[in-house]
Amino acid sequence: MRSQPQSASPRASGSRKVCLISHLSLVIRHPGRVTIRKFFNFDVFVHQKILEWGLAFLTFAVGLLPLIGVLLFTWSIESATPWAVMGPDDWGVWVGSIGMVGALFGTIFLATTETRRRHQEKLVLAHLHAAAMIARIQLAHNSVFVLVRTLADREDVDEIGPSFYQERLDSLRSLKLWTVSDLVHLVPLPHNTATKLAQAVDQLHAIERLLKTAQAERFDGTKLDRISSRNAILGRASVVRVQLRDAEKICRKAQVTVESDAPD
């Protein structure tokens, strides 16, 4: 007889079911939105769920192990303990021991639940602050991008006039940069976003100082000095551009999460 074709593996079938259920839930919750925006943040969602499930399983295991130990100990001395002739005091000891184990399990469960709740609150707050900072990060990134593109296109430093340095200085000084109090709320975000933004502020201030130096060297310095200053500005600007670009991506993901979780 001809063999029947093999069915799909349980793992592949389960994966398709999960994707289908997730897609249907998104359509039901947000029928008027583009659901692919939710899948843009799907990997972060999966990682969070895996962490929550793993922590819950670990909590259950830690609370269950003492109970298993009590049961094994009871079984090992069962022959030496005549249950039928045990008095009220003996039963009280056993009930108290089991109750102690249950209380320990409940305490651990409540503690981990409270920790997860606080972490979730901080993460939601971080997403809100990140969404509010996108405009400032984008303005800073655009200003640095113009600086990098102009310096990279002009190979001869003598073509760069003093007005260019003054325009870039005014552009950087007009930026409303974020403060430490703003970055504290972004600590729960992944990929060290708060640290990158803090480093970007220092880099922008350093670029301002280099621009003032280059502006003075345009009149008093040698061509070698002007080339050195141009390269220093270009190097720092390239670094801060990458930092701002990465931070902007994370903040936009946070904005997508806020918009997708908001009620219609």
Side-chain angles (χ1 to χ4, degrees):
M1 294 178 62
R2 181 177 298 177
S3 59
Q4 297 293 333
Q6 295 182 352
S7 59
S9 63
R11 181 178 300 177
S13 178
S15 177
R16 286 195 296 269
K17 289 180 181 178
V18 169
C19 293
L20 179 60
I21 294 173
S22 177
H23 183 75
L24 289 176
S25 64
L26 288 172
V27 173
I28 294 172
R29 289 176 56 194
H30 310 288
R33 297 184 181 178
V34 181
T35 57
I36 195 172
R37 294 168 61 191
K38 184 66 178 178
F39 289 107
F40 183 70
N41 200 35
F42 183 70
D43 55 341
V44 178
F45 172 78
V46 170
H47 291 164
Q48 291 177 352
K49 288 301 179 183
I50 291 176
L51 181 60
E52 291 177 2
W53 294 339
L55 187 59
F57 176 77
L58 182 61
T59 303
F60 178 76
V62 170
L64 191 61
L65 283 177
L67 181 59
I68 295 176
V70 171
L71 294 177
L72 291 177
F73 178 74
T74 303
W75 175 78
S76 64
I77 63 173
E78 183 177 4
S79 57
T81 305
W83 301 104
V85 297
M86 285 179 58
D89 295 338
D90 299 327
W91 282 109
V93 172
W94 283 105
V95 171
S97 301
I98 297 175
M100 185 180 299
V101 173
L104 176 62
F105 171 74
T107 303
I108 296 175
F109 177 77
L110 291 177
T112 53
T113 302
E114 180 67 16
T115 301
R116 290 196 302 270
R117 186 188 65 81
R118 291 180 180 178
H119 175 73
Q120 187 64 25
E121 290 180 353
K122 291 181 180 179
L123 188 60
V124 171
L125 187 62
H127 287 166
L128 292 174
H129 280 274
M133 289 181 58
I134 292 178
R136 284 184 284 173
I137 297 175
Q138 189 175 15
L139 288 175
H141 179 268
N142 293 339
S143 180
V144 174
F145 174 75
V146 173
L147 177 61
V148 172
R149 184 181 60 183
T150 305
L151 292 179
D153 291 342
R154 299 181 183 180
E155 298 181 358
D156 189 359
V157 291
D158 292 333
E159 297 178 359
I160 306 175
S163 59
F164 168 77
Y165 294 114
Q166 188 60 45
E167 290 175 359
R168 292 299 93 203
L169 269 174
D170 295 339
S171 177
L172 292 178
R173 289 171 178 172
S174 65
L175 295 175
K176 185 180 178 181
L177 298 179
W178 38 95
T179 62
V180 175
S181 59
D182 296 326
L183 298 179
V184 168
H185 299 289
L186 303 183
V187 172
L189 294 181
H191 305 300
N192 297 323
T193 302
T195 303
K196 290 180 180 179
L197 288 175
Q199 294 173 349
V201 172
D202 292 337
Q203 293 284 3
L204 289 172
H205 290 327
I207 292 173
E208 289 182 11
R209 293 191 294 269
L210 289 172
L211 285 172
K212 289 192 293 185
T213 301
Q215 189 178 21
E217 291 175 348
R218 186 64 180 83
F219 300 101
D220 302 332
T222 63
K223 186 172 184 177
L224 185 61
D225 294 334
R226 294 194 292 273
I227 292 175
S228 178
S229 296
R230 193 275 303 269
N231 293 338
I233 295 173
L234 188 59
R236 286 187 177 271
S238 300
V239 171
V240 73
R241 181 189 170 193
V242 173
Q243 292 173 336
L244 293 175
R245 181 191 61 194
D246 294 342
E248 184 180 353
K249 288 181 179 179
I250 299 298
C251 291
R252 289 196 179 278
K253 283 187 177 182
Q255 183 184 28
V256 170
T257 302
V258 172
E259 292 177 352
S260 61
D261 293 339
D264 293 332

